[in-house]
Structure formats: C-alpha cells, structure tokens
Amino acid sequence: MSHDTVTGAIFAAVPDHARPMLTYYNESTGERTELSGATLGNWAAKIANYLRDGLGLAPGDRVRVDLPEHWQTAAVLLGAWWAGVAVDLSDDAADDRATFTSRERVDEHDTDEVIAVPLDPFAMGVRDLPVGVEDFGESVRAHGDQFVPAGSGRDAVDEVTVAQVLSAADGGLDPADRLLSTRGWRTVTDVVANLAAPLLSGASLVVVAGGVEDSRLRAIAETEKATVVRT
C-alpha cells in the first residue's frame, strides 16, 4: 500500500486491521456502527475505484463533500484521498468534478456528478432521487475492494496540502489508544484535527454525534474502553 497518499499513511499506521478502527454513534437515531480497519479499507477502496474507474477522476482532481459526521463520510474522505483526489468543504470551489451529499441537499449542488449518500447504518439505497443524481450504495458497491493508488495531487482538503495533513499526526495519541470524540468534521481544520490526525497516529476512533449528556458520554466511554475522551 502506498504511503504517499493520506489514506495509505492512515492504514499503514493501523497495528491490526482486524480490530475496530472507527466506531460511530448517533445518539439522535440510536445508530452504532463499528468498522474494522479491513472493513473501512474495503469501503475506501470501493470509493477510490469508483472515482477513478467510474467517474474518470485522476490525482489532482477535486470533489465536494457536503456531509455531516458519519462513518460513510469518513469512507468518502478516505476514498478520495486514496485516489489522490482533493476534497473541498467550502461552497465556493468552482472546479469540483463531483459532489457527495445527503438526500436532503442534492438540489443545492450542480456539479457534473451528484452522489446521494444515505447516512444509515448499512449504506442502503436512497429512494426517489431526482434524475441525474446517483445513489451512493448502488454506484459504489459494484467496485472492487482493493485499490492501488496512482499517486496524489497537491491538496488533500481545501487548500491544505497532502504533506501538511501527513505531518499532522496526533502526537498525544498512539496505536494503543481508543479515542472517544464528540468533535466535528465540518471545517477543514476540524477534518484534519479530529479525523485525519487521530487516525494517522494509529489510534482507534469512536465518534459520538447527535448531542449527548455527560452521563451518557461517560457510559459510552466505559463501554468502548476509551483511553482518551475529547469534547
């Protein structure tokens, strides 16, 4: 696996691909989804293959990601970075080739390709999509779960470069840690600090979204055997 991409470096830092790498809680919906390094890697590979083989994107191309914190969002980011594709979070990017967004926001985007992401536990199909909008599950599942990158563009997310993200590994964590975090991924700073940096350290990440009381957060931390909690 090439370490020249952000995703390659992230998976290279994982000490055991059979252990949980990302666990996602949404307290509003009751969802808990746990993905091992192998499973998250398979999803990232499918997305990278889809971007390269399905949409014809090459390293240095750009996609827009307009999604909340979710395990599928993490898979999209990892897939894009593995394909060498930069991710734009801002609305003012003019050269995005595709957009990943929720069903509720598909009408907000007019890139060549718009992909509706279900944001459910199993990546099931999205119903009643407008003409021209692709369903994430249907589009991605058909692609292979192994990926060999062809290189990387300059940027990883907005104007933050691949090199800058690769240098951002969280020095306060190590591969033995299990980080429970309620911190967001909505800005470029947050994506780097709260998603990429912990994963680059090799730590396992437990993401709690949807708002949670302190007592519930303590209970989740105990259940998940978290060694570090960040809110």
Side-chain angles (χ1 to χ4, degrees):
M1 181 183 295
S2 171
H3 303 176
D4 296 334
T5 66
V6 171
T7 301
I10 284 173
F11 284 114
V14 176
D16 179 359
H17 286 253
R19 77 170 195 182
M21 180 176 174
L22 178 67
T23 305
Y24 172 78
Y25 278 81
N26 189 316
E27 290 296 284
S28 297
T29 64
E31 177 182 352
R32 179 190 182 276
T33 300
E34 181 177 281
L35 297 94
S36 67
T39 300
L40 187 55
N42 287 347
W43 275 106
K46 287 179 180 294
I47 293 163
N49 281 311
Y50 167 69
L51 291 172
R52 183 176 65 188
D53 301 335
L55 300 186
L57 272 62
D61 285 334
R62 309 185 74 92
V63 297
R64 172 86 161 91
V65 175
D66 177 23
L67 293 167
E69 299 82 4
H70 194 273
W71 72 262
Q72 289 163 25
T73 306
V76 168
L77 292 168
L78 292 171
W81 291 334
W82 215 354
V85 172
V87 170
D88 285 317
L89 302 180
S90 60
D91 290 321
D92 57 358
D95 52 356
D96 292 324
R97 297 278 304 278
T99 298
F100 291 86
T101 191
S102 63
R103 172 64 182 88
E104 293 74 18
R105 292 184 58 81
V106 294
D107 292 337
E108 305 294 322
H109 300 284
D110 60 358
T111 50
D112 290 344
E113 304 289 344
V114 177
I115 303 97
V117 182
L119 302 175
D120 70 358
F122 306 109
M124 301 300 287
V126 183
R127 297 181 178 179
D128 302 321
L129 289 174
V131 174
V133 175
E134 295 195 31
D135 173 71
F136 173 82
E138 181 178 323
S139 299
V140 167
R141 284 183 188 276
H143 290 273
D145 56 12
Q146 300 294 318
F147 184 74
V148 178
S152 183
R154 172 186 177 275
D155 294 336
V157 53
D158 286 2
E159 300 304 316
V160 176
T161 67
V162 170
Q164 288 171 322
V165 176
L166 290 175
S167 69
D170 193 323
L173 300 170
D174 64 43
D177 279 315
R178 188 152 168 82
L179 168 63
L180 187 150
S181 175
T182 64
R183 297 180 180 181
W185 308 343
R186 304 300 179 101
T187 69
V188 59
T189 300
D190 288 347
V191 165
V192 175
N194 302 333
L195 177 67
L199 294 179
L200 283 163
S201 76
S204 176
L205 182 59
V206 180
V207 178
V208 180
V212 60
E213 296 182 354
D214 288 346
S215 59
R216 174 59 178 153
L217 193 64
R218 288 193 296 270
I220 294 172
E222 182 176 356
T223 297
E224 298 294 340
K225 297 180 172 59
T227 60
V228 181
V229 176
R230 294 176 180 169
T231 60

